[in-house]
Amino acid sequence: MLLLWLVFSLLSHYTRHGETVPVPDFTGKMTNELDQFVLDKKIKYEIIDSVYDNRKPKGSVARQDPEAETQVKEGRKIYLYIVAA
């Protein structure tokens, strides 16, 4: 019984159960601003694709996954779609 409790306690600590941070809104940020933008945040980002949108500035973030204000675990990677240059 004690071993089972210990396993679940360690698992909860390892997965940081219940510890989340809000996803910031990357939309409209320029690619050269991204490193500075996430400097004080507890998340990471990765640019995964580019999209064509002539209504938005080239090199800006068009959309992201997960969406802004979603609660995620610290260190989560946010996937970004950039307006094609």
Side-chain angles (χ1 to χ4, degrees), residues 43-59:
I43 52 97
K44 301 172 186 172
Y45 72 91
E46 182 176 334
I47 298 171
I48 61 168
D49 203 357
S50 62
V51 295
Y52 177 76
D53 188 341
N54 62 357
R55 297 168 294 163
K56 296 180 181 175
K58 293 177 167 114

Side-chain angles (χ1 to χ4, degrees), residues 7-50:
V7 168
F8 281 117
S9 293
L10 290 174
L11 186 60
S12 180
H13 177 70
Y14 177 74
T15 62
R16 293 179 276 169
H17 182 71
E19 296 178 29
T20 60
V21 295
V23 174
D25 188 2
F26 285 87
T27 308
K29 299 284 185 216
M30 300 302 289
T31 53
N32 60 354
E33 300 173 347
L34 295 176
D35 287 337
Q36 187 65 31
F37 182 66
V38 298
L39 198 58
D40 63 337
K41 301 178 177 50
K42 297 179 179 182
I43 52 97
K44 301 172 186 172
Y45 72 91
E46 182 176 334
I47 298 171
I48 61 168
D49 203 357
S50 62

Side-chain angles (χ1 to χ4, degrees), residues 47-84:
I47 298 171
I48 61 168
D49 203 357
S50 62
V51 295
Y52 177 76
D53 188 341
N54 62 357
R55 297 168 294 163
K56 296 180 181 175
K58 293 177 167 114
S60 66
V61 176
R63 60 180 207 257
Q64 66 186 63
D65 182 33
E67 296 293 324
E69 300 308 315
T70 303
Q71 295 292 321
V72 297
K73 301 248 177 159
E74 288 183 14
R76 168 77 187 266
K77 195 176 287 184
I78 310 304
Y79 298 100
L80 304 177
Y81 298 82
I82 304 299
V83 177

